Amino acid sequence: MRPVPVGGEAAARPVPAGGEAAARPVPVAGELGARPAPVAGAPSPAGMQGVPGWTHPGAVAVAPDASSGTLLGVARPGIAPTAPGGARADESHALLGSTGDAVDETVDETVDDGGHELGATLLPRRMQAFRMPKRDAMKRLPPGFFEGKRRAGLPKPPRTKASRQALWLMVAGGVIALGSVLFVVFWPDPPPVTAQPRVDESGRDVLEVRCPSCPDGTSVAVNGGQAKVMNGVAQVALGAPIPIGKNRMKIAIDRPEGGQDETIAISVDVAYRISPDLATLQGEKPVLQVSVEALAGTEVTLDGKPLALSNGRAVAAIDVDKSIVGAADEPRTLARQIAYTVKPPDGPREQGVVSVSVGIVQLRIDAPGPSVVIDKESFVLQGRTAKGAQLRVGNHAIPVNDDGTFSREMNVSSIGATQFQVRAKLEGMAPRIVPIAVRRVERLETAAKEFLAQQPVGWAELLGDASAQVGKPVVLTGEVQETHRKGQAVVLLMTAPTSAACQVASGCSARLLLGVDLKAQRGETVTAYGRGAPPFQPEGGAPVPEVQVEFALRGAAPGR
């Protein structure tokens, strides 16, 4: 670098090369420390006047007064510009600041440490250690160097009231900002609106919409169906079943009392559908049909049996004869729990139960009973069913009175046995079916001899254990004690004759149910042929053996 003359004179010598500041400034006559030429990029001497600890390159360094200890005016490494055109003299003054501390006349040697950095500020030798970046430079400091500086009583910058207020404002702003972030991150979002397809008890598709944020009375509309929210749930009946697969649907939510109304788009995925079909209960052969729809490749097991899908569909028939076949005085319920297992092609295996619950129409047959033997061309069908029910025997409709009773004469055209079913139907309920066996013979005496070939039980077995004789053929001969007629039906109370099987004259009796009018009188001897029935339980009395009579003859039984 070529020295720049000051005042038209060469006031400084060039700095020799070699990386070491060895040049000494040349003093100008008549001045204490000549002013060297300014270096490009270095602070102006005029702007640094009065700053303690600052010396111009080539000037005589004056040590600050140890008693004052003020080093606020010391130029720190890195603050000075490092290239031409850097900070101006007034800017350097503003950054470094100035103090009015007095200085003594102690002379110290200065070293040009900025020979490698354009525009570096020269510092006294004992101040250079504060900006040495290398670790080994710190080892060259004398022991207790920093402790000595602290003991020198270096004053801390005074904290003004304005600075404390600014600090508190910064802290408050930081707390508010942090609180805002935590509020956004940790404040729980409102529970979302969810929808789940289901099938109700009647087999209809419904969409169960859950909206925890919706108050009671909120209206929910989906695909033309509408329902009210109660306890955060609404069951919306749909006009048509939801197709298998992914379905995009919109839910319109109308909150009461000026609440927020919104329309939400949701995705409803239906992997399979298992639904009972109650219409098949009204068929000629009543069955409970279960329909299955699923994605291709789905494995289905229904009621413990594998079910093969064809084009994603399958139908299974569940037998319900045990529930609907047979007479019943009161309505009953057809309840079935059908277990299923479904394994979609890309999902986990799922298990569940299809619940079916439907009422069964009541139907009671008073005459001719479940089985009857006649020697005439006709008999009377008599009984009771539900009000408004339809009654049929085969293809023939049987009129039903307003109170549910019915009575109709039925013809038997030829000799021999025949069976038919009496079926009662009512909309919304499962049917009730009662089978009846009718046998037409030429003479009842001939039928009596044939009946004895079945080795029927008598009084001894019936009085010994009546429950054990249910369904078995029974032949009883006794005296009629009471007779009760109801249309064509007759109820007889018969007393057993005195014998070894019955020693109690008034306690050996049986209740006989006849489906044809016998016209027997009290005290008359009658022989009844039939099947053992469950014992009759009178109110407040002991069980009485009961027999469902197929036919009866006056007098003693032939061949007994």
Side-chain angles (χ1 to χ4, degrees), residues 273-533:
R273 177 184 290 106
I274 301 177
S275 57
D277 185 2
L278 302 181
T280 55
L281 290 173
Q282 307 300 332
E284 184 65 25
K285 170 63 176 176
V287 294
L288 177 61
Q289 185 169 286
V290 179
S291 300
V292 179
E293 297 179 73
L295 298 173
T298 302
E299 300 176 4
V300 180
T301 300
L302 188 68
D303 204 20
K305 301 175 183 177
L307 195 62
L309 299 178
S310 177
N311 297 325
R313 292 176 173 269
V315 176
I318 308 298
D319 185 23
V320 294
D321 282 353
K322 293 182 179 180
S323 299
I324 67 174
V325 175
D329 290 343
E330 299 295 333
R332 304 285 178 86
T333 300
L334 172 61
R336 292 294 301 269
Q337 302 288 324
I338 306 171
Y340 69 83
T341 301
V342 176
K343 174 61 176 67
D346 56 351
R349 187 179 302 275
E350 298 183 14
Q351 296 180 346
V353 173
V354 177
S355 298
V356 178
S357 180
V358 60
I360 308 174
V361 184
Q362 70 265 35
L363 177 60
R364 184 187 72 216
I365 303 297
D366 297 324
S371 180
V372 63
V373 178
I374 60 176
D375 56 356
K376 299 179 181 180
E377 297 180 353
S378 64
F379 66 93
V380 176
L381 177 64
Q382 181 180 316
R384 189 185 186 96
T385 185
K387 296 179 181 181
Q390 298 178 2
L391 197 68
R392 300 187 70 86
V393 176
N395 295 327
H396 302 283
I398 305 298
V400 178
N401 300 325
D402 293 340
D403 60 353
T405 60
F406 58 90
S407 180
R408 181 71 176 267
E409 184 176 359
M410 308 294 294
N411 293 325
V412 181
S413 58
S414 60
I415 302 296
T418 182
Q419 290 186 346
F420 62 93
Q421 292 181 342
V422 181
R423 184 189 302 250
K425 299 171 58 176
L426 187 62
E427 185 177 359
M429 300 183 71
R432 171 68 64 179
I433 299 175
V434 178
I436 296 178
V438 177
R439 180 189 175 197
R440 180 184 172 185
V441 296
E442 292 182 354
R443 299 186 60 207
L444 294 178
E445 291 77 8
T446 303
K449 294 179 179 179
E450 295 174 352
F451 196 91
L452 293 176
Q454 302 181 34
Q455 298 180 355
V457 300
W459 282 105
E461 296 85 358
L462 193 65
L463 295 176
D465 187 358
S467 299
Q469 314 309 321
V470 175
K472 294 182 178 181
V474 177
V475 175
L476 297 179
T477 300
E479 183 179 333
V480 175
Q481 296 294 322
E482 294 182 13
T483 302
H484 177 71
R485 291 182 174 88
K486 186 177 181 180
Q488 293 295 314
V490 180
V491 178
L492 299 178
L493 183 62
M494 177 184 290
T495 302
T498 302
S499 63
C502 180
Q503 300 297 332
V504 181
S506 61
C508 300
S509 60
R511 190 169 181 261
L512 309 181
L513 306 178
L514 285 78
V516 292
D517 188 6
L518 184 61
K519 295 182 173 53
Q521 302 296 323
R522 181 175 182 180
E524 187 177 354
T525 300
V526 173
T527 302
Y529 302 81
R531 304 278 173 178

Side-chain angles (χ1 to χ4, degrees), residues 135-271:
R135 185 174 299 177
D136 56 351
M138 300 299 294
K139 298 179 180 180
R140 295 199 296 267
L141 295 176
F145 177 79
F146 293 103
E147 288 75 2
K149 293 298 180 182
R150 288 195 292 269
R151 286 195 299 270
L154 297 178
K156 297 181 179 179
R159 290 187 178 181
T160 63
K161 182 177 181 179
S163 64
R164 287 195 297 270
Q165 291 178 349
L167 178 61
W168 281 110
L169 288 175
M170 292 176 62
V171 173
V175 171
I176 293 174
L178 179 60
S180 300
V181 172
L182 294 177
F183 179 84
V184 172
V185 173
F186 293 103
W187 184 261
D189 294 332
V193 176
T194 59
Q196 180 71 30
R198 299 190 183 280
V199 178
D200 63 7
E201 295 181 355
S202 62
R204 298 180 306 170
D205 274 28
V206 298
L207 193 65
E208 184 180 271
V209 179
R210 292 187 173 271
C211 181
S213 63
C214 294
D216 289 349
T218 297
S219 178
V220 177
V222 184
N223 286 5
Q226 189 172 356
K228 297 292 185 181
V229 173
M230 292 299 295
N231 298 324
V233 180
Q235 297 279 351
V236 183
L238 303 178
I242 305 175
I244 300 297
K246 295 183 179 296
N247 301 271
R248 295 292 294 176
M249 308 177 71
K250 291 185 178 180
I251 301 179
I253 301 176
D254 184 6
R255 293 179 173 86
E257 301 179 357
Q260 180 183 0
D261 299 339
E262 56 185 335
T263 300
I264 301 175
I266 62 172
S267 178
V268 178
D269 298 339
V270 181

